[in-house]
Amino acid sequence: MFVDRLQLLNFRNYEELLIDFSPGKILIYGANGQGKTNLIEAIYYLVIGKSFRGKDNSLIRFGAESFQIGAKISKNDQKTTLGVEYSVKGKFFLKNGQKQKSFSSILGNLKGVLFTPDEPVIFFGFPANRRKALDLFLAQTSKTYLLNLIYYQKVLTNKNALLKQVWNVDNLIEAWNYKLAEFGAEIIKEREKCLKILNDIINELNAQLRFLPGKIEASYKTSGADDKEKIFELLKQKYTEEKDKKQALFGPHRDDLNFYVNGRDLKIFGSQGQKKGALLLFKLSQAVYMAKVSGEKPVVLLDDLYSEFDKEKREALEGFFLKYSDQVFITATEPIDLKNYHQVVFIENGKVS
Ligand SMILES: Nc1ncnc2c1ncn2[C@@H]1O[C@H](COP(=O)(O)OP(=O)(O)OP(=O)(O)O)[C@@H](O)[C@H]1O
């Protein structure tokens, strides 16, 4: 799939933009602070239903009251339009001109993989960031996963509210625990299954790209249990602890994902370069997974990749991304290697040419 056309209204420093894109490799270049990342942000907004770096109200162009993003997506000659409109009154999504109840009904219509220079620090920071990265990927590829996640979150919110009550809620908690164990086990099963596949892809890619010397392992770490009965039992045992802390402490919302190179945890022992390399391999493996397992090649968005890697690694990476993606956006401050691109877009102060 690829983004055929993008339309912006009062989004960040874009007052009005209408641009057609070709499939293939697209260079977005311009000086610092001109709106390159803003463009990537707008496209990825339609992938995950929100910005990857800011709150909705900060995306409205200074002085305006709302923003709109619209895109035409091409998939096997089939065209779909997606859109979002936001103002302080609220936001709504559109698919083919029809208002949607929520973003989840259109999630997956535009599949995407994003890499930004800040990401390694965020990803190797708090466990919540790693869970979010995995969830955002899995939710794009599996509707069942998305639904289990939505149900789990709803039940979790109810349980957390109950844990704050002063009166006796033991029976009610047990009913919510049962539901948490049911949805939670499904979530864990999918995460583990997908990580197994990603692991193989990561190592295959690493053998070819030679990013990190050694065997890489992305491993899933549960906060205590991984099947329905065991989770339910664990929640029963830990009830007093949860009641004391007034919050749900066990389950997939507390699980983690760690990257090991030759058995050593990258988060603890990895250099900045190794972390970047591992995360890129993880992203690349997601594109491969989408292309091979779910049968749909995603759009790949690489922000500022040029400042991250030398020419040889860059070219190898771009080549791989292009193999498993129908469209790769790359931002840079300099117009280098122009002949390698299917389209080149110059950005200056929120205007493109
Ligand atoms: N809500 C907003 N309204 C208007 N302009 C905004 C808004 N938010 C950010 N900007 C402007 O967008 C510009 C930054 O754009 P962006 O982050 O896309 O830069 P960039 O081209 O990727 O630069 P760099 O190469 O430095 O990363 C800044 O000039 C900033 O003032």
Side-chain angles (χ1 to χ4, degrees), residues 74-93:
S74 250
K75 189 166 59 179
N76 307 327
D77 291 334
Q78 203 188 328
K79 312 270 181 206
T80 308
T81 61
L82 299 177
V84 59
E85 290 188 34
Y86 172 84
S87 73
V88 280
K89 287 188 214 133
K91 85 170 164 183
F92 60 87
F93 289 92

Side-chain angles (χ1 to χ4, degrees), residues 3-7 46 69-73 80-83 110:
V3 180
D4 206 326
R5 168 170 285 186
L6 179 72
Q7 206 163 358
L46 295 176
I69 306 171
K72 189 161 81 183
I73 313 300
T80 308
T81 61
L82 299 177
L110 175 60

Side-chain angles (χ1 to χ4, degrees), residues 12-13 31-38 53 58 60-62:
R12 294 280 198 189
N13 64 341
N32 295 119
Q34 298 304 306
K36 302 182 296 293
T37 309
N38 293 346
R53 60 172 184 167
S58 67
I60 301 176
R61 193 171 65 85
F62 303 146

Side-chain angles (χ1 to χ4, degrees), residues 181-335:
E182 189 178 328
F183 298 129
E186 290 302 314
I187 291 170
I188 294 172
K189 203 162 72 189
E190 282 254 7
R191 285 179 180 172
E192 285 180 330
K193 192 174 99 191
C194 150
L195 274 180
K196 245 188 215 138
I197 300 174
L198 292 184
N199 257 320
D200 290 343
I201 303 174
I202 287 173
N203 280 292
E204 237 173 75
L205 295 171
N206 192 38
Q208 297 175 53
L209 289 168
R210 278 179 274 122
F211 262 21
L212 297 166
K215 185 172 163 27
I216 308 174
E217 202 195 346
S219 123
Y220 191 74
K221 189 164 150 251
T222 68
S223 55
D226 59 359
D227 76 26
K228 190 172 142 186
E229 278 72 32
K230 283 191 204 145
I231 298 175
F232 186 60
E233 217 30 64
L234 178 80
L235 294 178
K236 239 191 211 164
Q237 283 165 23
K238 301 286 185 179
Y239 179 42
T240 324
E241 199 180 324
E242 292 193 323
K243 218 157 71 171
D244 283 349
K245 300 256 169 63
K246 298 187 188 336
Q247 56 176 317
L249 300 171
F250 303 90
H253 65 291
R254 288 293 178 109
D255 291 354
D256 201 356
L257 151 73
N258 289 315
F259 280 82
Y260 296 90
V261 176
N262 289 335
R264 292 199 199 288
D265 190 342
L266 262 190
K267 169 168 99 267
I268 303 167
F269 300 107
S271 69
Q272 291 308 326
Q274 287 175 318
K275 286 178 183 169
K276 259 178 229 163
L279 190 56
L280 256 168
L281 287 169
F282 183 49
K283 296 289 172 133
L284 189 45
S285 73
Q286 292 180 5
V288 177
Y289 183 102
M290 283 176 180
K292 284 190 175 169
V293 181
S294 46
E296 279 180 334
K297 289 183 176 179
V299 167
V300 171
L301 304 150
L302 304 171
D303 193 17
D304 222 5
L305 190 69
Y306 281 145
S307 62
E308 300 287 304
F309 292 98
D310 59 31
K311 193 169 163 31
E312 192 192 340
K313 280 219 166 68
R314 246 167 34 215
E315 282 178 355
L317 258 174
E318 286 174 5
F320 269 97
F321 270 124
L322 206 55
K323 197 165 155 195
Y324 298 103
S325 159
D326 287 329
Q327 194 175 41
V328 182
F329 289 89
I330 294 161
T331 72
T333 47
E334 298 297 329

